[in-house]
Amino acid sequence: MSVRVLVADDQPIVRTGLTMLLDAQPGIEVVGAAADGREAVRLALRLRPDVGLFDIRMPLMDGIEATRRLAGPDVTDPLPIVVITTFDLDEYVYGALKAGARGFLLKDAGPALLTQAIHAAADGDALIAPSVTVRLLAAFAHAQTPPRRQPIEPLTAREEEVLVPVAQGRTNNEIAGELHITPSTVKAHVASLMRKLGARNRVEVAMWAHETGRI
């Protein structure tokens, strides 16, 4: 069954290019394309895609606000959203991730990484461009000096071990291979981390790891 994707970008050539690129990938189908954040929210609510691929800088409503409305803390059934941008240190990226985005990629990521990010988001994983993961999250975490939440229960040694690759943007399968455990075991540890940290998704787990100096 194909992952149904909604693309949002204000540049027609980029929007068309992303649509053609994704439609050419097996297991992915673009079901809608929006030219601004307001249209993206409207189409998302009507089409109910599996994943949103949103640019940050769009007219009428930017990608951050669109993400917040579709995936924010008050949303009952959040849409998995991958943010895609030209700027690897865009000051809005941290805000987008805080708003509930599940992934962050640069527009030059290439079809393989883009496809991986779409599937990861659909599967409940998060993928952040490896080239900027640590630099981006660490820079913004320290610049914003957010309050550091304490876990409701202490983390186990294995959870601490899983936390680091999660914060580096690795998927469950990649973590399983590194730690020689099954993907389902990784998933259970990630779920426990989210519960203990009060995190809504893997990106918030990654942010907590950076905020507390674990990376």
Side-chain angles (χ1 to χ4, degrees), residues 95-129:
L97 295 176
K98 277 291 194 185
R102 279 218 190 137
F104 162 64
L105 289 178
L106 301 182
K107 287 183 179 176
D108 63 1
L113 198 57
L114 188 57
T115 303
Q116 189 182 357
I118 295 291
H119 283 294
D123 292 340
D125 276 353
L127 191 148
I128 301 171

Side-chain angles (χ1 to χ4, degrees), residues 29 35-36 80 85 92 140 145 156:
E29 176 193 5
D36 59 72
T85 180
Y92 299 118
F140 283 115
T145 59
T156 66

Side-chain angles (χ1 to χ4, degrees), residues 67-130:
T67 297
R68 187 177 294 112
R69 295 196 185 193
L70 295 169
D74 300 329
V75 178
T76 307
D77 185 19
L79 171 67
I81 293 174
V82 176
V83 169
I84 186 165
T85 180
T86 310
F87 310 98
D88 67 344
L89 279 180
D90 193 315
E91 66 272 20
Y92 299 118
V93 171
Y94 186 83
L97 295 176
K98 277 291 194 185
R102 279 218 190 137
F104 162 64
L105 289 178
L106 301 182
K107 287 183 179 176
D108 63 1
L113 198 57
L114 188 57
T115 303
Q116 189 182 357
I118 295 291
H119 283 294
D123 292 340
D125 276 353
L127 191 148
I128 301 171

